[in-house]
């Protein structure tokens, strides 16, 4: 018989069980005096049943007798017996007492298992080589939530009240489907809203079914790598490169082949040697290279498309902050240029994200895939990641469809444009001599995005500069930590989280470090090289 005995068949408790159990419980009640008495009694009786002090099927002492023996209130023990009965440790008979179950519950509450054996101390678990690489990456030493740190957001710029109303609307519905995993690829309403948005603002040519919702650019890249590459496949990446992209691709076992960027973004590489295939993917940020800020001109974009068509390379276009341009008209997205070709394209996968426009906790990204890949990408995203935050996706779809997103981006563009201008003006006010000589200090890129990059001369230790700035309460990230090939010194400052009024005083701290790091002492005539 596996379950509890019927009341009439249960054996009676031994005559000395009352004394045995009281002696067992007394020292345990003395432990952890800050814990409630009922909790200590419940834990002690659990252990007594589990360890056999109260044999399986045995009748527990009456609550009145055990309470008197322990010097506690009977009502306390009545509540303890009821708790143990609810947990499945004991069963109450009809007028015949309370008995220990013969079969213990499958899930024992925390701390109620038998006493652990005394084993020698075990060494702590060790990280894999990949885990050690992540832990030791130099970026972690410099990223700190201080002014100018990338990834920060000014909460005052977000329409919280409006967003809260949009989030509350789906909650009023009684549709259970909202709490499910949703459709493969993401909420149809959001996919449609994104397709309209990128078509109108970036010239992307796609149907809603080609839009795949993810939770970040890193997840989009992981999905691309898992479905389109095998471990060991070669991938061209920019140098320097967005850290999240290089890590996501390398963690999939892909071989990163870095190419140095110039003032026009990533140059088109030479054709591969005869008999050797071109890399499977090329990761590009053509609209605003991260972190240098370079913008790829139209001619080079067309060169990349021609190269991809000729050699079979797929282009991954990360358009992470194209909403923010403060002068001139934007160049069209690679994806749209590709789709306009006579064969209909299919060589570009377009990545987008809301991380620079929405609140950081609203984790929504997306990718646009060629039509032939739409179904498998949607199914794989659903199987791999079990996306299910339908409430956020529906709220964002409504936010976009009703025009609120476009208005929000326009407001951010005005504010961020003012912040960038304040940052540039403050730098020129503090270090005009350094900026006047491009070989010493240079503002890189154009008037776009939410960060500004400064180029430093070769040989300058940008990590030492960043360390000194951090000590002054300012986070400037060294460009060298983004390098996956030849090291290029520089600094990255994000103004997204810094109001205009705070920028100039903060730049004064950075300027003091720059003047010290870039100071050129006069040449010593005694050590000056002499030409024979």
């Amino acid at each position: 018989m596996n379950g509890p005995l019927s009341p009439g068949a249960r054996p009676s408790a031994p005559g000395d069980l009352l004394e045995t159990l009281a002696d067992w419980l007394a020292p345990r009640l003395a432990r952890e005096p800050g814990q409630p008495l009922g909790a200590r009694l419940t834990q002690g009786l659990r252990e007594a049943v589990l360890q056999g002090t109260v044999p399986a099927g045995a009748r527990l002492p009456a609550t009145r007798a055990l309470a008197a023996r322990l010097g506690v209130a009977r009502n306390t023990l009545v509540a303890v017996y009821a708790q143990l009965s609810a947990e499945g440790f004991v069963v109450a008979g009809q007028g015949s007492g309370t008995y220990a179950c013969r079969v213990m519950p499958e899930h024992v509450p925390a701390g109620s298992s038998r006493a652990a054996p005394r084993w020698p101390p075990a060494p702590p678990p060790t990280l894999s080589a990949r885990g050690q690489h992540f832990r030791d990456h130099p970026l972690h030493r410099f990223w700190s939530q201080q002014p100018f740190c990338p990834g920060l957001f000014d909460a005052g710029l977000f329409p919280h009240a409006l967003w809260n109303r949009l989030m509350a609307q789906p909650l009023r519905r009684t549709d259970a489907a909202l709490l499910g995993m949703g459709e493969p690829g993401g909420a149809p309403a959001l996919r449609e809203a994104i397709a309209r948005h990128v078509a109108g603002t970036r010239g992307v040519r796609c149907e809603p079914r080609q839009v795949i919702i993810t939770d970040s650019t890193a997840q989009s890249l992981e999905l691309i790598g898992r479905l389109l590459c095998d471990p060991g496949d070669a991938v061209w990446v920019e140098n320097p490169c967005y850290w999240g992209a290089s890590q996501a691709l390398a963690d999939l076992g892909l071989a990163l082949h870095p190419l140095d960027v110039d003032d026009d973004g990533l140059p088109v590489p030479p054709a591969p040697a005869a008999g050797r295939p071109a890399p499977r993917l090329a990761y590009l940020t053509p609209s605003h290279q991260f972190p240098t800020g370079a913008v790829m001109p139209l001619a080079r974009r067309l060169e990349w498309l021609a190269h991809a068509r000729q050699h079979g390379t797929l282009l991954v276009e990360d358009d992470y902050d194209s909403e923010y341009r403060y002068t001139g008209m934007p160049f069209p997205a690679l994806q749209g240029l590709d789709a306009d070709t006579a064969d209909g394209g299919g060589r570009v996968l377009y990545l987008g994200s809301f991380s620079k426009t929405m609140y950081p906790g609203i984790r929504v990204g997306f990718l646009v895939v060629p039509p032939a890949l739409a179904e498998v990408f949607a199914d794989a995203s659903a199987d791999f990641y079990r996306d299910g935050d339908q409430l956020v996706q529906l709220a964002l779809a409504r936010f976009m469809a009703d025009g609120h997103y476009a208005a929000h981006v326009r407001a951010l563009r005005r504010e961020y444009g003012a912040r960038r201008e304040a940052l540039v003006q403050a730098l020129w006010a503090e270090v005009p001599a350094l900026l006047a000589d491009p070989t010493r200090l240079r503002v890189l890129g154009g008037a776009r995005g939410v960060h500004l990059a400064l180029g430093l001369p070769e040989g300058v230790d940008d990590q030492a500069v960043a360390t000194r700035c951090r000590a002054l309460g300012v986070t400037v990230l060294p460009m060298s930590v983004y390098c996956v090939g030849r090291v290029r010194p520089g600094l990255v400052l994000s103004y997204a989280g810094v109001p205009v009024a705070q920028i100039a005083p903060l730049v004064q701290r950075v300027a003091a470090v720059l003047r010290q790091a870039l100071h050129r002492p006069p040449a010593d005539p005694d050590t000056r090289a002499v030409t024979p």
Side-chain angles (χ1 to χ4, degrees), residues 181 183-195 208-217 219-220 223 350 352-354 362-369 374 377-383 385-390 392-394 396-397 400:
M181 292 185 295
E183 296 190 22
L190 180 56
R191 298 167 79 182
E192 182 176 349
I194 290 174
R209 70 184 188 89
Q210 294 173 244
V211 178
I212 310 299
I213 307 301
T214 65
D215 72 4
S216 63
T217 295
Q219 189 180 92
S220 297
L223 190 59
Y350 179 90
S353 171
F354 293 90
I362 301 172
R363 302 293 299 167
V364 179
F366 64 93
L367 66 156
V368 178
V369 301
F377 265 76
D379 289 341
S381 178
D383 285 347
Y385 309 118
R386 299 297 181 189
D387 299 326
D389 199 343
Q390 297 297 296
V392 169
Q393 291 186 23
L394 290 176
L396 181 54
M400 299 180 74

Side-chain angles (χ1 to χ4, degrees), residues 127-142 243 247 463 480-481:
L127 293 172
S128 64
R130 183 167 55 190
Q132 293 176 40
H133 176 72
F134 171 82
R135 180 198 60 195
D136 298 335
H137 196 284
L139 179 66
H140 301 313
R141 300 203 308 268
F142 300 100
W243 180 80
Q247 291 298 299
Q463 297 191 17
S480 60
V481 302

Side-chain angles (χ1 to χ4, degrees), residues 14 22 48 55 89 155 172 198 211 225 229 238 262 301 380 390 488:
F89 285 92
R172 299 191 188 103
V198 296
V211 178
C229 298
E238 301 168 325
D262 59 23
R301 295 172 188 241
Q390 297 297 296
R488 178 174 179 172

